[in-house]
Amino acid sequence: MPTRPSLTRVPSESPWTFSHQTRFTQRRWRPLLIFTLLACSTVTIFRFGFHAGSSSSISSSSEASSSHPFTLTYSTHPITRMMEEGQERFQSKIRKQSKTLSEAIEQYKLRYGMAPPKGFDGWWEFAKKNGVVLVDEYDTLMRDLAPFYALRGQTAFGDYVDEDEDPFRPGSGLDRQGWALGGGHEMRRRIAEVASVASIDIVQIRKGNLSTVSISKDGFVDDEVSARAIGLKSMLGSSAAYLPDIDFPVNAKAEGRVIVPWDRWEVAGQGGMASDKIGLGMGNRSYIEDLAPHDIKDTLHPLSTFHPDWRGAGNVWDKWRRTCPPTSTARKSYTSIRSALIDKTATSHNAVSGRITHSSVDPAFLFVPSTSFNAVSFCDLPHLHYTQGHFFSDWRTLEDLYPVLSPARAKGFGDIKIPSHYYYGSTQAYTYGWDKATMTVEAVDRGEVAWGDVTDAEGGVDDRDFIIDPAYDGHNNTSNPPRNRKTGKESKRNKIFWRGATTGGGNSPPGFAALYQRHRAVRMAGWDIEGDVEVWVPYSNPIANISAHHHLSSAKFRTLQNHTKVVDAPLIAHKIPLATLNMALMDVAFVKASNAKQYPGGLKKLTEDHRFSSGVLLGNHWQYKYLLDLDGMSYSGRFMSFLASDSVPIKSTVYEEFFSEWIEPWVHYIPLSASYEEIYNIFGYFSGIPAEVVEKVYGNATDPVTGALLFPPGTNIPAIPGAPDGDARLQRIARAGKQWKNTIGRKVDMETYVYRLALEWARLNADDREAMTMKV
Ligand SMILES: *[C@@H]1O[C@H](CO)[C@@H](O)[C@H](O)[C@H]1NC(C)=O
Ligand SMILES: *[C@@H]1O[C@H](CO)[C@@H](O)[C@H](O)[C@H]1NC(C)=O
Ligand SMILES: *[C@@H]1O[C@H](CO)[C@@H](O)[C@H](O)[C@H]1NC(C)=O
Ligand SMILES: *[C@@H]1O[C@H](CO)[C@@H](O)[C@H](O)[C@H]1NC(C)=O
Ligand SMILES: *[C@@H]1O[C@H](CO)[C@@H](O)[C@H](O)[C@H]1NC(C)=O
Ligand SMILES: *[C@@H]1O[C@H](CO)[C@@H](O)[C@H](O)[C@H]1NC(C)=O
Ligand SMILES: *[C@@H]1O[C@H](CO)[C@@H](O)[C@H](O)[C@H]1NC(C)=O
């Protein structure tokens, strides 16, 4: 039963009430949770833990969105502000890029405290020749590499002799130029070691020629082909001729593989991986593995017995939580779930980024400034790790600082980012505009659909305003896209769309799949979900007028009435049943049940609990204005195609990728928190509340003063508009994303990235790093 609609500008008593229901606390979830929990015999604690987790929210917070919507107007709406600030930030980033080689060298020295690597001038020419826009933005790459610049060899292995040390800095582990002693030697040793691990492949450069090498992996049959190594090899095609002989170990899996525990970090002048300062003065640092004496004998070849899968021995989370500081909740006791609960009251409000102000704001109105690479503190709120599948990966992680190239990097991991082969290659399932027949990439995908009508006489469009060919709606035919019933014009549907498989995490330990990111999203978008959500839109329409009159004092109502311009109209909340909203604007379903046995209750329960639908052509995505983008086993390989399209990606991810500092959230795409809860208010801002929802919610509402029906039989029920230029703003994001993909996310930009990575790599691998440094 939909609850009685209400319109109110009064802050709700408990901001958490609605949000609870959008997540794990629905009644129908109890049996599942209990099942899950029995498996780990911490039933009550865990259940409580989830409630606690929900209330403190895994939505990340931002200064920008910290105000209660009650106090806001359209022009001070956090989305309005973040779009404007993002635009300004991005424009100024572009303006500030170096124009000449000498400027680029200066910029490099300023940022990283050392001269660029040898060959930087060749790289600069390559970048200029290919019109690369962002030539200075490599901070996250340098941060990935910083520990390797700090890596020091050992005299015991003949990596250096004591006389090599800078006599003015005895015991520093640095040579006279400030480079870590024996670093190149140690780097090569580690590359050779990690190359012996199954699920790691090698891309090799010899005399300027490229090859992929697979070192015999006895005993382990790996069915995943090394598409990632082949991808890197093609990306290096344009630069290999200018590079010395080097080896790149490439992770054959999508999941991150390197997790170095907190206590093993001893990098001079910085607090390990957590430090923001990492990357500055990189040559002048040393990393010393702080090994217990009994470990020393294992340091040479700790990987000789390494199995790429866990085989029940350990799991990612247990390794990961050791990257947290010893004082953190995740470290305080081995049974970190329990500690999280004990600490719950203390930490829940400053959970996400230490800001308490948000505790009074409904998480459904908390917009994130960017995706959550740094936003969620799993060290402080360890129970939230159950919500992300990457902590349950079946692939074993390496606990020492090994150089491994991976397509994405989650917080706490030590992998070095390279562009995904899905982005570089062209395939039907991942590439926008791919024409299988001619094997070319077209500028406009055959399935692309015109943006179309923003509104009609009723102030908005929803599915009822479209003519949709059933053949097209099967999502396997792009020939007859939706048309507006009244105007006859081709038009994108005002909906949020997602399809994908039930992947999104491994099974180590088993029993937690229900809580992974994809499963949560599919259930939250379910058409039979209980609960309500408050959608805040600018006060502007007769429905709001009448209901506001009912709820507010007449003085306040008169104030409201004076806002004749929508820009300074205050926001007003519409409390709407989630099921009603989901039916109108969410089309989110699984298409394939893979590993259904891993789901508690098996395939039967999985299909009962989640919506399933048939498969979808990539080209059929473009009929929707909003495309949800979620992590799978790792990063989402579809993101680049979503950007390239005329639709708008709404992205939630725990990963950083090679392009993360090149792209601007709220300008090129819409970032979504890990809890997804604000998605309805994102939709409300850009698209308002569709007429079909208004009809269900207010269809029988009466004027509180006269008692007359708001919509007497026969009248048209209008949509409730969102931001006055909401649809235009949404389209602006779609266009900016496409423009970004075509100017900054091109294949040649990926080649430029790996070229620069390779120059650093060559220096890292050299015995004489000074000789591999550009003379400036
Ligand atoms: C390291 O520090 C020394 C002394 O401060 C400086 O001369 C040298 O250039 C630095 N080296 C690098 C690679 O930054
Ligand atoms: C590299 O490739 C060139 C041209 O294909 C070939 O002549 C040369 O022998 C190759 N060098 C090595 C070391 O394989
Ligand atoms: C297309 O989808 C419809 C509806 O899901 C289905 O009945 C039909 O068999 C599909 N056709 C093809 C060619 O896959
Ligand atoms: C796609 O739909 C159209 C009708 O809209 C139909 O004529 C065509 O045969 C369909 N194509 C496929 C591959 O099913
Ligand atoms: C709100 O109601 C008042 C009368 O109560 C009316 O004058 C005004 O035009 C209405 N505003 C809107 C936006 O419908
Ligand atoms: C509304 O505007 C009128 C005319 O501008 C003004 O006289 C009146 O005081 C205002 N009322 C409120 C409640 O602000
Ligand atoms: C409105 O009232 C009619 C008659 O009582 C009822 O049939 C209908 O379901 C109601 N609609 C809504 C949206 O509540």
Side-chain angles (χ1 to χ4, degrees):
M1 270 301 287
T3 52
R4 183 88 199 118
S6 74
L7 250 166
T8 174
R9 284 182 42 78
V10 180
S12 68
E13 288 304 308
S14 159
W16 313 114
T17 22
F18 323 115
S19 56
H20 277 176
Q21 282 145 17
T22 66
R23 276 183 306 218
F24 318 109
T25 57
Q26 291 174 78
R27 229 162 289 125
R28 53 186 291 241
W29 283 101
R30 297 259 160 84
L32 168 75
L33 273 178
I34 289 168
F35 183 95
T36 313
L37 301 172
L38 279 175
C40 63
S41 68
T42 52
V43 181
T44 43
I45 290 177
F46 190 71
R47 275 181 68 198
F48 174 52
F50 250 102
H51 294 233
S54 337
S55 61
S56 65
S57 172
I58 49 173
S59 40
S60 4
S61 46
S62 76
E63 295 296 353
S65 66
S66 62
S67 308
H68 195 281
F70 183 73
T71 64
L72 298 171
T73 64
Y74 160 72
S75 48
T76 56
H77 193 294
I79 294 181
T80 309
R81 283 171 45 190
M82 285 193 281
M83 283 185 76
E84 277 156 18
E85 287 162 11
Q87 189 61 38
E88 179 46 44
R89 197 164 36 241
F90 186 69
Q91 289 309 326
S92 108
K93 187 182 272 183
I94 288 184
R95 273 195 306 273
K96 280 196 286 215
Q97 296 304 300
S98 299
K99 308 283 183 300
T100 61
L101 174 60
S102 57
E103 272 177 46
I105 293 168
E106 278 320 299
Q107 188 57 226
Y108 186 107
K109 285 158 87 176
L110 195 68
R111 292 186 186 214
Y112 315 122
M114 58 184 177
K118 192 177 165 186
F120 188 79
D121 43 352
W123 172 86
W124 173 261
E125 260 172 49
F126 181 81
K128 285 286 110 181
K129 189 181 76 196
N130 290 296
V132 171
V133 177
L134 298 173
V135 285
D136 295 327
E137 308 306 323
Y138 284 87
D139 289 1
T140 70
L141 169 66
M142 296 309 276
R143 200 229 25 230
D144 293 354
L145 296 178
F148 299 96
Y149 269 113
L151 189 64
R152 194 214 295 190
Q154 295 190 25
T155 36
F157 303 151
D159 291 355
Y160 61 91
V161 292
D162 290 341
E163 291 77 74
D164 295 337
E165 191 171 77
D166 183 352
F168 298 106
R169 286 182 289 183
S172 65
L174 303 174
D175 70 13
R176 286 169 184 79
Q177 275 83 36
W179 301 105
L181 282 165
H185 198 267
E186 184 62 18
M187 184 80 184
R188 296 197 304 278
R189 173 166 38 232
R190 287 179 194 229
I191 289 173
E193 259 175 38
V194 82
S196 69
V197 167
S199 74
I200 305 284
D201 301 296
I202 293 285
V203 173
Q204 212 165 53
I205 302 180
R206 292 292 178 270
K207 295 198 169 67
N209 291 356
L210 278 161
S211 57
T212 48
V213 180
S214 187
I215 292 173
S216 100
K217 324 262 156 125
D218 46 12
F220 185 80
V221 182
D222 194 341
D223 56 5
E224 194 165 356
V225 292
S226 59
R228 293 188 171 82
I230 294 166
L232 178 64
K233 186 183 152 200
S234 352
M235 285 178 236
L236 283 165
S238 40
S239 50
Y242 313 107
L243 296 167
D245 291 0
I246 36 178
D247 290 356
F248 301 92
V250 183
N251 182 5
K253 307 294 172 195
E255 294 90 337
R257 302 301 295 281
V258 181
I259 301 181
V260 181
W262 196 89
D263 351 30
R264 296 203 124 184
W265 287 97
E266 200 195 289
V267 181
Q270 62 191 30
M273 301 244 238
S275 171
D276 293 338
K277 292 203 172 68
I278 202 161
L280 292 171
M282 296 205 302
N284 275 336
R285 298 191 179 277
S286 65
Y287 164 93
I288 303 143
E289 274 162 4
D290 186 16
L291 300 169
H294 67 271
D295 282 344
I296 296 210
K297 61 178 180 340
D298 301 327
T299 52
L300 243 185
H301 290 292
L303 298 187
S304 53
T305 57
F306 183 88
H307 295 292
D309 51 349
W310 287 108
R311 307 187 180 196
N315 58 70
V316 172
W317 167 250
D318 199 44
K319 302 294 176 201
W320 193 92
R321 65 182 194 85
R322 292 176 206 183
T323 66
C324 298
T327 52
S328 65
T329 312
R331 283 287 299 283
K332 272 188 203 150
S333 100
Y334 195 80
T335 52
S336 52
I337 300 168
R338 189 183 296 268
S339 344
L341 284 166
I342 294 161
D343 284 7
K344 176 236 155 198
T345 39
T347 58
S348 63
H349 286 164
N350 57 5
V352 175
S353 51
R355 296 190 195 99
I356 292 161
T357 47
H358 303 115
S359 57
S360 64
V361 180
D362 185 339
F365 200 77
L366 279 183
F367 307 96
V368 290
S370 65
T371 50
S372 49
F373 180 77
N374 277 314
V376 183
S377 173
F378 296 103
C379 287
D380 297 329
L381 292 164
H383 54 286
L384 293 184
H385 88 270
Y386 292 106
T387 63
Q388 298 298 331
H390 76 291
F391 288 118
F392 296 84
S393 163
D394 294 327
W395 303 111
R396 192 186 293 259
T397 54
L398 300 155
E399 286 171 75
D400 295 282
L401 186 67
Y402 282 103
V404 174
L405 306 179
S406 294
R409 171 169 166 146
K411 194 178 179 183
F413 283 72
D415 301 61
I416 300 158
K417 299 181 302 283
I418 51 169
S420 160
H421 67 294
Y422 286 121
Y423 299 153
Y424 189 77
S426 296
T427 58
Q428 212 176 0
Y430 291 96
T431 311
Y432 180 85
W434 178 242
D435 188 329
K436 206 168 72 173
T438 61
M439 304 279 277
T440 53
V441 179
E442 306 291 337
V444 178
D445 192 282
R446 277 207 243 178
E448 190 57 88
V449 176
W451 190 266
D453 301 290
V454 176
T455 60
D456 55 18
E458 274 79 54
V461 286
D462 57 49
D463 258 9
R464 300 179 309 181
D465 304 315
F466 287 105
I467 300 163
I468 299 162
D469 181 350
Y472 183 91
D473 215 22
H475 291 114
N476 52 21
N477 183 333
T478 58
S479 64
N480 189 17
R483 271 163 211 289
N484 188 302
R485 209 175 279 286
K486 283 183 204 125
T487 64
K489 280 198 290 192
E490 183 180 306
S491 188
K492 283 189 198 287
R493 294 157 83 176
N494 231 348
K495 276 198 169 189
I496 300 171
F497 186 75
W498 184 84
R499 290 289 186 276
T502 61
T503 51
N507 199 34
S508 306
F512 295 93
L515 306 172
Y516 296 169
Q517 66 278 5
R518 290 186 165 192
H519 297 74
R520 284 188 294 114
V522 172
R523 290 200 305 275
M524 187 187 90
W527 293 345
D528 55 355
I529 192 167
E530 292 170 24
D532 306 295
V533 68
E534 278 185 344
V535 180
W536 293 83
V537 292
Y539 165 89
S540 70
N541 58 82
I543 305 170
N545 197 356
I546 288 172
S547 297
H549 195 180
H550 182 52
H551 285 91
L552 302 173
S553 69
S554 42
K556 205 148 194 188
F557 180 62
R558 276 196 301 276
T559 318
L560 213 55
Q561 294 251 295
N562 267 10
H563 293 282
T564 45
K565 281 198 229 108
V566 181
V567 279
D568 41 58
L571 302 185
I572 187 157
H574 296 267
K575 190 170 174 182
I576 301 172
L578 269 171
T580 306
L581 268 182
N582 284 347
M583 262 182 276
L585 49 95
M586 289 286 204
D587 190 348
V588 173
F590 283 132
V591 294
K592 198 171 115 201
S594 50
N595 305 322
K597 269 188 255 147
Q598 296 176 356
Y599 190 83
L603 181 63
K604 185 168 172 287
K605 196 81 178 73
L606 179 67
T607 47
E608 263 170 37
D609 294 344
H610 303 87
R611 197 184 141 211
F612 277 78
S613 183
S614 53
V616 179
L617 284 177
L618 186 66
N620 271 99
H621 284 77
W622 320 137
Q623 65 179 298
Y624 301 96
K625 285 186 181 171
Y626 300 88
L627 298 172
L628 188 58
D629 193 41
L630 302 173
D631 291 339
M633 302 304 278
S634 177
Y635 69 97
S636 162
R638 276 179 283 196
F639 187 49
M640 287 289 151
S641 65
F642 286 4
L643 283 168
S645 79
D646 292 349
S647 301
V648 176
I650 304 184
K651 185 175 185 64
S652 178
T653 179
V654 295
Y655 295 99
E656 185 178 80
E657 295 183 60
F658 78 98
F659 58 80
S660 295
E661 65 191 302
W662 295 355
I663 199 163
E664 193 64 49
W666 293 108
V667 173
H668 304 117
Y669 69 97
I670 299 176
L672 184 68
S673 77
S675 81
Y676 321 133
E677 280 177 85
E678 76 278 26
I679 199 165
Y680 301 102
N681 274 295
I682 290 173
F683 187 96
Y685 176 88
F686 292 106
S687 302
I689 300 168
E692 63 175 294
V693 173
V694 178
E695 183 176 319
K696 285 195 187 132
V697 176
Y698 295 113
N700 286 345
T702 52
D703 185 316
V705 179
T706 64
L709 275 176
L710 256 182
F711 303 107
T715 42
N716 271 334
I717 298 186
I720 298 176
D725 56 351
D727 193 78
R729 279 176 172 267
L730 188 65
Q731 195 178 6
R732 205 189 304 159
I733 299 178
R735 288 192 182 133
K738 193 181 188 98
Q739 171 76 1
W740 183 92
K741 176 69 184 79
N742 293 333
T743 53
I744 297 178
R746 303 163 303 166
K747 284 172 77 164
V748 73
D749 293 299
M750 302 176 204
E751 292 168 18
T752 309
Y753 177 95
V754 297
Y755 189 171
R756 181 136 166 189
L757 164 62
L759 292 179
E760 300 288 350
W761 202 258
R763 176 162 65 181
L764 278 168
N765 276 273
D767 278 331
D768 186 351
R769 287 181 175 170
E770 193 56 24
M772 290 302 284
T773 296
M774 193 181 187
K775 299 292 169 281
V776 290

